[in-house]
Amino acid sequence: MYIVQIASECAPVIKAGGLGDVVYGLSRELEGRGNTVELVLPMYDCMRYDHIWGLHDAYLNLWVPWYGGAVHCSVYCGWVHGRVCFFIQPHSQDNFFNRGCYYGCDDDNMRFAFFSKAALELLLRSNKKPDIIHCHDWQTGLIPVMLYEIYKYHGMEYQRVCYTIHNFKHQGMGGVETLQATGLNQASYYFQYNKLRDNFNPFALNFMKGGIIYSNAVTTVSPHHAVEAQTSEFGCGLGYTLHLQKDKFMGVLNGIDYDFWNPEIDCYIPHNYHWDDFEQKAYNKKALREKLMLGHGDKPMVAYIGRLDNQKGVHLVHHAMYYALSKGSQFVLLGSATEPAINAHFQHEKQFLNSNPDVHLELGFNEELSHLIYAGADMIVVPSNYEPCGLTQMIGLKYGTVPIVRGVGGLVNTVFDRDYDQNLPPEKRNGYVFYQMDNQALESAMGRAIDLWYQQPEQFQKLATQGMQYDYSWNIPGAQYLEIYDWIRHKW
Ligand code: ADP
């Protein structure tokens, strides 16, 4: 099969969070199974060019229709750790992708509407005829809309779209100007509730809703979240739309790329290890302590890695830090906040705790350090408010770092409580789960984990190595996506 993935991220060259990991890992798996996979991405000024090999111009004269005129774009091609990627660089005064950031601009909806249009124009002009176009998140929600309303009539009638939603919170809103810009004429046609009109804001078009309605298959990133999105506030207003489209909507659990996230071969950690030589993990803990200038001693280490925002349960992250210290643990945090108030709060905490040898806060994004923390820490806490899939708990498991998670979304599908899980025998359990959003709930799970570390170290190690033996690779999800692709190719 010939598959083109269109997304706003692809790790490690463009990574703001899990989306980048998924786009890369899934592409690699699909290619490993004998398919041809190409990726189309924006050419951001701030992406990690050091992860692109052989970057060369592919199409220097791509003219993308925009507002009745056309914007000149150059398209570059290069390999990102073996994946063929096309990067679109527009030449216009808008400087859509030269902003020193991936997201967070006032005109994000226009930036990614343009990217979507340009990606389709690239496929059309270069005469690429993929069997499947796989789009991701709101940034590419307009692709299936334009494919079926415009490009189908220009020779792209056989392309089928799989649309994966990684986060319902950000849906992409636009007004009539988005339609004018992209050539989706007849505003009244698109401003209908069975098309793009937002379910709650009658003056807005919702890109993600368009993606859901026009795609041949829609997925989200875990089976549990697929149910939550239809039945609770986690669908962020799209629950009813998903319910109406339920025959083509399903959850496929994300995988992680074990060529990149694997303590046996990880080149960012000083001591590689496997579940049957688990003692080696202790040397990584020592290296991490040295790097972060933490005290040595017989104490467990709890980590948090992730964005610092309300989705991730920041108030519980904050409480986890002080609770870990009160229980004789060390705590390491690696996180970045986009909201100024949250950023200021953690900056303040960092100053306040600066001289404490048992805690380190690293504020910012640091891929290399994240690997050492996964390898060095004993536990990783994921107290999310909601979590469509969550990768940090799965990476933690692979590194023998016991996850302590809140039972929502994909965390329910991947972490099974050592003491209370009713569905699995003890030798299959792999972490700790709590359910409420309050401090006591978090403490009940963290307390059990830290007590086990102190009181029954051999049992703690057993739990950690049980987690390392789970297979959360792309193997199963890769096969599931191929089944979905096959289904939509033959059904439509
Ligand atoms: P998200 O909701 O952000 O997509 P996920 O758990 O799905 O959360 O994926 C997070 C990914 O981003 C993981 O690979 C994690 O290691 C990485 N990550 C998150 N924050 C940071 C950071 N500050 N530095 C380095 N890596 C990070």
Side-chain angles (χ1 to χ4, degrees), residues 9 15-22 166-167 221 254 256 260-261 304-309 311-312 333-337 362-371 374 380 382 384 386-393 395:
E9 293 181 35
K15 172 169 166 175
L19 170 63
D21 287 318
V22 171
H166 301 253
N167 195 335
V221 289
N254 281 338
I256 55 173
F260 193 66
W261 295 112
Y304 172 81
I305 300 175
R307 290 182 289 116
L308 293 167
D309 70 14
Q311 175 193 337
K312 301 289 176 185
L333 177 146
L334 170 61
S336 49
E362 186 73 27
L363 301 178
F365 195 93
N366 188 332
E367 183 76 54
E368 287 81 356
L369 179 61
S370 75
H371 287 246
Y374 285 117
I380 183 155
V382 193
S384 301
Y386 72 93
E387 193 59 79
C389 177
L391 298 181
T392 58
Q393 82 283 10
I395 302 171

Side-chain angles (χ1 to χ4, degrees), residues 219-457:
T219 68
T220 189
V221 289
S222 69
H224 192 72
H225 196 56
V227 177
E228 286 174 344
Q230 289 177 76
T231 55
S232 73
E233 76 277 16
F234 296 139
C236 301
L238 286 174
Y240 185 59
T241 304
L242 292 168
H243 170 72
L244 293 178
Q245 306 289 328
K246 65 179 183 306
D247 293 343
K248 64 174 191 188
F249 175 57
M250 62 216 93
V252 178
L253 189 68
N254 281 338
I256 55 173
D257 187 337
Y258 284 161
D259 262 17
F260 193 66
W261 295 112
N262 186 346
E264 289 166 50
I265 53 169
D266 192 327
C267 55
Y268 294 128
I269 64 174
H271 301 275
N272 292 118
Y273 59 99
H274 181 255
W275 61 267
D276 63 6
D277 60 355
F278 191 76
E279 314 73 52
Q280 293 291 321
K281 184 168 163 69
Y283 296 110
N284 292 303
K285 185 171 180 179
K286 186 163 176 282
L288 177 62
R289 281 171 163 168
E290 273 160 16
K291 187 173 175 73
L292 302 180
M293 291 189 288
L294 290 171
H296 293 273
D298 200 19
K299 288 183 175 189
M301 185 188 283
V302 182
Y304 172 81
I305 300 175
R307 290 182 289 116
L308 293 167
D309 70 14
N310 287 329
Q311 175 193 337
K312 301 289 176 185
V314 262
H315 67 288
L316 287 182
V317 173
H318 178 261
H319 187 69
M321 183 163 71
Y322 282 99
Y323 183 68
L325 294 176
S326 76
K327 291 278 291 180
S329 241
Q330 293 185 317
F331 195 89
V332 171
L333 177 146
L334 170 61
S336 49
T338 42
E339 260 183 60
I342 297 179
N343 189 35
H345 176 81
F346 278 91
Q347 290 287 0
H348 172 81
E349 290 293 339
K350 186 176 164 71
Q351 293 291 328
F352 181 66
L353 294 164
N354 200 21
S355 55
N356 189 324
D358 285 331
V359 59
H360 182 93
L361 281 74
E362 186 73 27
L363 301 178
F365 195 93
N366 188 332
E367 183 76 54
E368 287 81 356
L369 179 61
S370 75
H371 287 246
L372 185 57
I373 297 176
Y374 285 117
D378 299 293
M379 303 156 212
I380 183 155
V381 64
V382 193
S384 301
N385 191 1
Y386 72 93
E387 193 59 79
C389 177
L391 298 181
T392 58
Q393 82 283 10
M394 293 201 268
I395 302 171
L397 284 168
K398 186 70 183 167
Y399 283 72
T401 306
V402 172
I404 303 165
V405 308
R406 179 153 178 261
V408 282
L411 299 167
V412 170
N413 296 120
T414 48
V415 181
F416 310 103
D417 193 278
R418 176 185 183 270
D419 302 320
Y420 297 122
D421 192 281
Q422 299 293 324
N423 302 317
L424 288 177
E427 65 278 10
K428 287 277 169 205
R429 300 177 192 169
N430 59 11
Y432 291 91
V433 184
F434 62 97
Y435 292 93
Q436 305 305 320
M437 271 309 276
D438 50 54
N439 292 349
Q440 289 74 14
L442 172 81
E443 288 179 13
S444 75
M446 272 183 78
R448 287 185 289 131
I450 295 172
D451 288 349
L452 189 75
W453 191 93
Y454 271 118
Q455 290 159 15
Q456 293 175 274

